[in-house]
Amino acid sequence: MKKRGKIIRVTTVPRSLGGLLQGQLKFMSQHYDVIGVSSREENTLEKVGKKEEIRVIPVEMTRKITPIKDLKAVYQLYKVFKKEKPDIVHSHTPKAGTLSMIAAKFAGIPHRLHTIAGLPLLEATGARRLLLDTVEKFTYGCATMIYPNSFGLNDIILENKYTSDKKLKVIANGSSNGIDTTHFDPSKYSLEDNAKLREELKIDREDFVYVFVGRFVKDKGINELITSFKKLNDEHQNTKLLLVGTYERELDPLLPETESEIDSNPNIISVGWQNDVRPFFAIADALTFPSYREGFPNVVMQAGAMGLPSIVTNINGCNEIITEGINGTIIPVKSSEALYDAMEKLLTDKKYCRQLSQKAREMICERYERKYVWNAILEEYRQL
């Protein structure tokens, strides 16, 4: 097949390139010459390139504000773009978006695309918020198209006047990469598999298991989650909270009392970072995801595809994947009381919980199947 042109996809770290966009780069390489650009990070980038079957180029980028390193990264990206002469530069993640959109504009790349999968700056205040707002507007100004990965995020961008609606477009029904429903499928895990893992984690057969998957940071609502679960667990001993992920203490630390409760409560089970989260969804009864902000959360789609009802906050992305009372329930942001009430209802109202669970997978398959999203992105490239 003759390829249509060259695309460079950029993320700040290779975990995003190989994780958030898993499979997509390999799919696009059937139609375009695709190059992945990201930080090297202990040969992780090379592994992503091998898995996705694309060429990769390392450019060191940081997730923090580091002016000197950022200028060096812009220059390195500029050199890559001038040498490779791609038709399209398409960036993901905040820092990669800013640096690569600036570099691509200076390099004269005709199509400069940036996907927005969340706005961390929304939680910032004061001078820091002003700085981040300015950077966001500058990034969008350098881009030729901006793709929010949810309709709610699209509205937030317009409300904050970061750019005009002419530059904005939500592809398909939202999401940056969709969900592989053949991979996230509860039928792949037998009753014996699930019983074995529960036994390893010291979870009794009659225990109701809430699961959280993601970074253990304040912005994910972990402080509220631990507060709510502690109260619930004091009243209902047959409950467990399963935490899958890692801390980011330097970027967004939890309250000391939250960490202490995680460490000391035997009914809170923290299993760390996991390359495959499916077994943990398979032994759980419900997802708890009380995040403060999201773009279009993969975790909620993954849990739904695994047949779990979800408790999510009323934020963009989450309130698009979840329909109240159909495949989950939606609660106010930063409310441990509302989270407690929702967790208790799923625990005590078995009929209600079962109804939500029955619709969970069906709704994900209908709206967010991965290849549907990939083809929509491919069509967007073709129209450019």
Side-chain angles (χ1 to χ4, degrees):
M1 180 189 293
K2 185 178 179 181
K3 296 188 177 181
R4 294 172 175 269
K6 184 184 288 186
I7 298 175
I8 295 182
R9 303 290 292 268
V10 191
T11 65
T12 310
V13 296
R15 182 183 293 179
S16 298
L17 197 67
L20 293 177
L21 303 176
Q22 185 180 42
Q24 187 181 140
L25 304 179
K26 184 176 181 180
F27 171 81
M28 292 300 171
S29 69
Q30 298 171 39
H31 307 274
Y32 291 87
D33 180 12
V34 177
I35 299 171
V37 172
S38 191
S39 304
R40 175 167 269 127
E41 217 176 57
E42 298 179 352
N43 297 320
T44 305
L45 181 60
E46 286 74 12
K47 292 176 183 177
V48 171
K50 188 174 181 180
K51 187 175 181 180
E52 295 289 333
E53 298 177 11
I54 61 167
R55 187 155 57 99
V56 294
I57 299 173
V59 172
E60 295 309 311
M61 291 174 271
T62 66
R63 294 171 64 188
K64 296 181 179 180
I65 299 173
T66 50
I68 294 174
K69 290 181 179 179
D70 294 343
L71 285 172
K72 287 181 179 179
V74 169
Y75 180 61
Q76 291 298 320
L77 288 165
Y78 169 81
K79 290 201 298 182
V80 169
F81 298 158
K82 289 296 284 186
K83 179 182 178 182
E84 296 294 339
K85 297 179 172 60
D87 303 283
I88 297 170
V89 169
H90 187 172
S91 59
H92 297 256
T93 67
K95 178 60 80 68
T98 298
L99 303 183
S100 61
M101 290 299 99
I102 294 170
K105 186 173 177 64
F106 279 111
I109 306 305
H111 301 294
R112 304 179 298 277
L113 319 179
H114 180 48
T115 291
I116 308 295
L119 289 168
L121 60 85
L122 295 178
E123 290 297 316
T125 56
R128 179 178 172 81
R129 175 63 185 266
L130 181 62
L131 172 63
L132 293 174
D133 277 343
T134 302
V135 171
E136 200 74 9
K137 290 176 182 177
F138 190 67
T139 301
Y140 294 13
C142 291
T144 55
M145 281 296 293
I146 299 292
Y147 299 108
N149 71 350
S150 76
F151 292 98
L153 201 51
N154 187 89
D155 294 341
I156 291 171
I157 290 168
L158 289 175
E159 287 166 10
N160 284 273
K161 299 179 180 178
Y162 292 141
T163 190
S164 69
D165 60 354
K166 293 178 182 178
K167 269 193 180 183
L168 294 172
K169 183 176 181 180
V170 178
I171 296 176
N173 292 311
S175 174
S176 301
N177 203 37
I179 184 82
D180 184 351
T181 56
T182 63
H183 182 73
F184 287 93
D185 183 349
S187 68
K188 291 183 178 291
Y189 295 87
S190 66
L191 293 174
E192 291 77 14
D193 293 332
N194 295 340
K196 182 180 178 183
L197 182 55
R198 285 174 78 106
E199 184 179 353
E200 289 174 5
L201 297 175
K202 297 179 181 178
I203 298 172
D204 294 336
R205 189 169 63 177
E206 65 274 12
D207 283 343
F208 191 100
V209 180
Y210 303 93
V211 64
F212 169 88
V213 177
R215 295 174 295 118
F216 302 167
V217 294
K218 182 183 72 174
D219 279 6
K220 292 292 184 184
I222 298 294
N223 291 320
E224 290 82 1
L225 176 58
I226 298 304
T227 297
S228 302
F229 178 75
K230 184 178 185 301
K231 180 181 178 183
L232 184 78
N233 188 235
D234 286 343
E235 299 167 359
H236 303 275
Q237 294 299 305
N238 63 325
T239 53
K240 293 286 192 296
L241 176 60
L242 183 57
L243 301 177
V244 184
T246 53
Y247 292 95
E248 287 192 357
R249 293 184 177 93
E250 290 184 4
L251 291 173
D252 190 10
L254 298 175
L255 294 170
E257 55 265 37
T258 297
E259 282 203 39
S260 177
E261 184 68 22
I262 292 171
D263 293 339
S264 62
N265 190 330
N267 292 317
I268 299 176
I269 304 161
S270 182
V271 297
W273 171 265
Q274 298 290 325
N275 289 324
D276 189 356
V277 297
R278 294 174 301 167
F280 303 95
F281 284 133
I283 64 168
D285 296 286
L287 174 73
T288 47
F289 196 70
S291 183
Y292 296 177
R293 56 171 181 82
E294 291 293 328
F296 207 89
N298 286 327
V299 168
V300 182
M301 290 191 293
Q302 292 167 357
M306 291 294 290
L308 293 186
S310 296
I311 301 170
V312 301
T313 39
N314 191 18
I315 58 173
N316 60 274
C318 287
N319 58 16
E320 295 170 44
I321 300 168
I322 299 303
T323 302
E324 175 62 39
I326 304 298
N327 60 340
T329 187
I330 302 170
I331 62 170
V333 180
K334 303 180 183 180
S335 174
S336 56
E337 294 83 6
L339 179 55
Y340 165 82
D341 290 341
M343 292 172 75
E344 186 183 45
K345 184 170 176 62
L346 288 182
L347 172 67
T348 58
D349 191 339
K350 292 181 172 54
K351 182 180 178 182
Y352 172 71
C353 186
R354 189 165 55 250
Q355 286 174 344
L356 300 185
S357 179
Q358 287 170 350
K359 275 287 185 181
R361 178 170 170 81
E362 176 187 327
M363 291 183 71
I364 298 299
C365 292
E366 286 177 354
R367 305 189 69 217
Y368 304 114
E369 169 55 45
R370 177 159 286 180
K371 289 187 178 178
Y372 169 70
V373 176
W374 289 354
N375 280 303
I377 297 170
L378 177 61
E379 184 57 30
E380 185 69 11
Y381 288 160
R382 286 174 172 168
Q383 288 180 5
L384 294 173

